[in-house]
Amino acid sequence: MDEQHVLTDRQGSVGRLTLNRPRALNALTHGMVSAISEALTAWEADDRVRAVVISGAGERGLCAGGDIRAIYEDARAGGGASAEFWRDEYRLNAYIARYPKPYVAFMDGIVMGGGVGISAHGGVRIVTERSAVAMPETGIGLVPDVGGTYLLSRAPGEVGTHLALTGAVVGAADALWCGLADHFVRAERLGALRGALGDAIGGGEGEGEAEGDGVGAVRDVVARYAGVAPEGRLAGDREWIDGCYAADTVEEIVDRLYGHGHPAAKEAAETILTRSPTALKATLASLRAARALPTLERVLEREYRASCAALGTVDLVEGIRAQVIDKDRAPRWAPRELSGVSEAEVSRFLEVPVGGDLWGECGGS
């Protein structure tokens, strides 16, 4: 079944990956992560494949994230399977970031959580007018992962802190401005672009003359289909975002947001207070640390520790229950208030998991 959930084919010299769980918004399972990794590994060694394109089946999105129903059941049972899933998923994220051939991600529709991990680390990232990009993990008791704290810590000013704590969804223009994407292409043109990439980077079974090779050729093709994204809002909100989110604690951030006077700042404060207090404090610590870490691999290792730590909290199971299982949108966090989260609890998110770190003997620079 997992093989059917990741479709692979080749057009010309372009290897194509299609996530094929449209009824589940193409949510990633462990088997899908393995299938993507295996395809990329095979294509890296295949001279006939000069570029890779990843997209999602259906009209709703590339990928809504990991299969959190499976994480919910595993967390209730002890959490071993989720740790193994994250280990392979995060290693895949790092592999995508270092992939030696052009990796083109069609970030159309919903792209959240794990969907960001398999797209925003790619070399050529395309958003559309339908794109809805987010890292909403604090709403289910998790810290942003899949390299999300790496990406958000490098967004302009404190915008990444705002997006991480609130889980706010951004459209195409804001994704481009934040550095989560590279090009805007209207959704109706994606099919033609996919075909043009196959034609331009080699035809048939690797035969015939290719018009170009490498990321430059891919970008030349994309440029012919790209346009200007509808206007975003984050750049205009920098003044209150930077001033409020520069605080050292989540409590102070909330106080500054309430005291600023801008309606959007108050709305952000109210959103933050609906999130897991423990996840919020661990997220802020992770973001601040990610700024100083030199590589994606180092950040992913820290995120792996945080995710494994979350498996042992009440909030992860409760957050998924409220958002996905019962859908009552009324999680009962423990503790319920930011003031109840101790420094010791936050420090737990830095500890090496019982089963070992992300890279183990494989290293990671």
Side-chain angles (χ1 to χ4, degrees), residues 219-245:
R219 290 193 183 278
D220 287 344
V221 175
V222 173
R224 299 203 299 265
Y225 289 83
V228 178
E231 186 175 357
R233 60 175 292 180
L234 287 179
D237 287 342
R238 272 288 299 276
E239 183 271 329
W240 65 263
I241 288 176
D242 286 357
C244 296
Y245 286 94

Side-chain angles (χ1 to χ4, degrees), residues 293-303 359 364-365:
L293 293 175
T295 65
L296 172 62
E297 287 82 359
R298 290 281 303 279
V299 175
L300 284 165
E301 182 172 73
R302 186 183 175 107
E303 290 177 351
W359 301 107
S365 58

